[in-house]
Amino acid sequence: MALTSGQNMRYARQILLPEVSGAGQEALLAARVLVVGAGGLGAPVLLYLAAAGVGRIVIADDDAVTLSNLQRQVLYETADVGRPKAACAAARLAALNPDAAVEALALRVSAANAAELVAACDVAVDCCDNFGSRFALGDACLAEGKPLVSAAVQGFSGQLAVFDPAHGGPCFRCFNPAPPPRDGRACEEIGILGAVAGMVGAAQALAVLKLILGLGDDAQGFLQVFDGLAGTARRVRLPRDPACPACGGR
Ligand SMILES: [Zn+2]
C-alpha cells in the first residue's frame, strides 16, 4: 500500500521521524485499534490515534454525553449533550481524518462480548470507567494474545501500563488480581482536572502508536505514574507475577 500525496502531506511531520518513516505510516494506516470508553481518557486517545492515521478504530461506549463531561472530554461540544458518545466521537474523528475508518459501538464491554471485540483488533485500549469492563477486557486480551494499554486517572494523578503477556510482559491480573469489593465510580466521587486526563490519555495514545510501530520496551512490564500536582512522571518495573490467577500457570 503506497501513501497518496495527500497522506504524505498530512503525516509529513511524523514521516520525517526515522522511527516512523513511510513504512511506519503504512503500518499505522493498516492497524486496527479497539478503544473501550470514550470519556476523559478516551477523548485524547481517539483524537491522537485518528490524527496520526490509525486506519481502523473501534469505539465501544454505551453512555450519552452529559454537561458535566465537557470539562474534560474534549471530543464533545455543548450541542452533543444527550447524544450517544460512540456516535458523536465517530463523527468527530471522521471529520478530523477521513483515513480513519471508525466503527461506533453503543455497548458496554463485558465478559460476554469482550473476546469477539479483542480478537478483531491489533491493540486494545482500556479507557474504562468501571471495573467490570476493565477486567473483562484484560481477560480477553490475555486469552486472545493481544496487547492492552490500560490507564486510570483520579484527582491530579494517573497511571498507565502496557500488558502484553504474549511477548513476555505481565497480564492485567498480574497487577490487579481481582476487582475491589465495591465498584465505585471514583471520578464522580473524587473529581478530576480535565488536563490530567488529557496528559495521561496522550501518553496512552503514544503507547499505542509505539506498539504499532514496534518502538520502545513498554510491553516488557512497566507502570508509569503521573503526578500532575507535583509535575512529575516516574516509571517503575511491573514484572509478571508467577502466582497470577490468570497467567501464572502459562
Ligand atoms: Zn498475569
Side-chain angles (χ1 to χ4, degrees):
M1 175 183 61
L3 298 175
T4 66
S5 61
Q7 288 172 330
N8 274 313
M9 262 194 274
R10 178 184 287 269
Y11 308 115
R13 294 299 186 277
Q14 64 195 43
I15 290 174
L16 270 176
L17 299 168
E19 294 86 351
V20 180
S21 76
Q25 189 60 55
E26 288 172 17
L28 293 173
L29 287 163
R32 182 178 171 110
V33 176
L34 168 69
V35 179
V36 181
L41 289 169
V45 165
L46 289 165
L47 286 167
Y48 278 114
L49 294 184
V54 169
R56 288 173 295 172
I57 299 173
V58 180
I59 307 168
D61 193 303
D62 68 339
D63 276 338
V65 180
T66 68
L67 193 56
S68 68
N69 292 155
L70 300 181
Q71 160 262 13
R72 65 194 178 285
Q73 300 182 17
V74 294
L75 266 173
Y76 309 115
E77 301 176 2
T78 305
D80 292 328
V81 170
R83 295 181 184 153
K85 284 187 182 178
C88 286
R92 173 77 179 86
L93 300 187
L96 170 63
N97 187 353
D99 282 345
V102 184
E103 188 180 347
L105 303 176
L107 56 79
R108 174 166 285 229
V109 169
S110 68
N113 58 24
E116 188 183 348
L117 292 170
V118 167
C121 74
D122 301 311
V123 182
V125 194
D126 165 17
C127 303
C128 301
D129 64 355
N130 69 91
F131 288 110
S133 295
R134 274 190 203 279
F135 278 82
L137 186 60
D139 290 344
C141 285
L142 173 64
E144 300 294 332
K146 300 295 172 75
L148 172 67
V149 180
S150 183
V153 286
Q154 186 175 295
F156 286 89
S157 62
Q159 61 186 36
L160 159 66
V162 175
F163 300 104
D164 192 7
H167 294 93
C171 83
F172 184 77
R173 284 187 193 256
C174 287
F175 180 50
N176 306 280
R182 198 177 62 95
D183 191 358
R185 298 190 125 198
C187 175
E188 290 172 11
E189 294 162 13
I190 295 168
I192 172 81
L193 202 56
V196 173
M199 174 179 70
V200 178
Q204 211 173 1
L206 176 59
V208 173
L209 297 174
K210 284 162 64 185
L211 280 172
I212 297 167
L213 295 166
L215 302 175
D217 62 352
D218 292 345
Q220 298 310 307
F222 296 97
L223 180 71
Q224 295 179 57
V225 183
F226 301 88
D227 182 337
L229 202 52
T232 58
R234 64 198 170 88
R235 190 183 193 230
V236 296
R237 192 93 179 109
L238 190 68
R240 273 194 70 199
D241 177 5
C244 170
C247 75
R250 298 189 180 210

